[in-house]
Amino acid sequence: MRYIFLVWIIVVGMVVGIAGFQGDKTRRTPIELFPDMDRQPKLRPQTANAFFQDGRSSQLAPEGTIARHSSWEKTPENTGKVVGTTNFVSTIPLPVDATLLAKGQVKYTIYCAPCHGATGDGKGVTSKLGMGVIADLHDHKGRKLITAADGQLFDTIGQGKGLMGGYGSVLNPQERWAVVAYVRALQLAKLGSLDDIPNAERASIK
Ligand code: HEC
């Protein structure tokens, strides 16, 4: 036991003798155990640096960035609600045209179809993998989703609902409205009747 103690003192003495105490001044080259930690190729905030073209280490936020919690415009386009109320707007507050629908189809196929299925029947691939209770967008809870305000669907897409997570981080408001429009198209495709088709086109249907 005594020897171990002695050896320990000698070893510590040697280490200090060779390496010195931290902060000691010496003319010899210091021993660097982790040179990449002593000299890191990192940018210090708020200083000049040649790495970026504009010479700043801290880059400006991308154009159009808004601060979290800042009061961004509470328009129906952004919130899906009637200004100053908590009521959902009943119809999509953007012009619905073929371009919007096409965008909606792309986004729906990426972000919704895996669960809700390509036709919206709730039988996407995840249902086959065991995920239960995926809403049937045609006939969920007594057709509530067919009569639901467009703003409510917009809200569900952005914030999620019940077991479904929100997609607001990957779909901007315009894309969410596009998905709403596409969901409406899916519903119409299944539930529409001959009366929904303009007279002029009816002949070509049968
Ligand atoms: C990971 C699977 C999943 C994805 C992806 C998904 N959903 Fe859902 N969705 C669900 C589930 C599960 C429910 C049922 C939630 C509940 O009732 O608790 C649901 C419910 C809904 C409802 C009904 C909400 C209500 O009022 O009852 C709507 C509308 C809906 N989803 C639309 C969408 C749209 C549009 C997308 C694409 C942007 C989407 N969902 C993506 C799983 C998903």
Side-chain angles (χ1 to χ4, degrees):
M1 188 64 210
R2 241 182 350 182
Y3 294 112
I4 293 178
F5 191 60
L6 209 67
V7 168
W8 191 77
I9 290 196
I10 291 172
V11 168
V12 168
M14 274 163 54
V15 168
V16 172
I18 293 171
F21 292 108
Q22 191 179 20
D24 268 359
K25 299 227 161 67
T26 172
R27 283 171 187 283
R28 280 173 295 153
T29 317
I31 298 170
E32 273 185 318
L33 294 183
F34 302 107
D36 57 336
M37 291 194 80
D38 285 340
R39 288 181 300 279
Q40 302 174 23
K42 67 181 177 189
L43 305 184
R44 298 220 173 249
Q46 313 280 358
T47 54
N49 194 292
F51 184 75
F52 289 110
Q53 232 170 18
D54 63 2
R56 311 168 197 239
S57 64
S58 304
Q59 294 295 289
L60 298 175
E63 208 177 311
T65 305
I66 55 167
R68 280 202 107 140
H69 304 303
S70 71
S71 57
W72 76 321
E73 267 191 284
K74 293 210 171 74
T75 56
E77 288 85 349
N78 286 337
T79 63
K81 293 181 180 148
V82 178
V83 179
T85 72
T86 52
N87 302 335
F88 293 120
V89 294
S90 52
T91 51
I92 301 174
L94 305 176
V96 178
D97 52 16
T99 323
L100 194 77
L101 267 180
K103 177 180 274 184
Q105 181 176 30
V106 170
K107 297 297 176 184
Y108 179 92
T109 308
I110 296 171
Y111 293 109
C112 318
C115 292
H116 290 282
T119 62
D121 59 4
K123 298 201 177 71
V125 67
T126 55
S127 74
K128 295 183 182 80
L129 297 173
M131 182 185 273
V133 299
I134 301 171
D136 174 354
L137 299 180
H138 302 287
D139 197 25
H140 180 58
K141 295 182 188 161
R143 295 166 63 103
K144 263 195 194 146
L145 294 178
I146 289 154
T147 50
D150 287 347
Q152 184 183 330
L153 298 187
F154 175 87
D155 192 74
T156 300
I157 295 170
Q159 315 287 329
K161 185 147 187 179
L163 292 175
M164 180 185 137
Y167 289 82
S169 57
V170 285
L171 296 171
N172 68 30
Q174 200 226 11
E175 291 165 341
R176 280 174 245 164
W177 288 119
V179 172
V180 173
Y182 187 69
V183 168
R184 290 305 191 206
L186 287 178
Q187 292 177 335
L188 264 182
K190 193 160 171 188
L191 303 164
S193 73
L194 202 59
D195 296 338
D196 298 324
I197 298 167
N199 270 329
E201 317 236 335
R202 281 190 200 175
S204 64
I205 298 293
K206 295 178 189 145

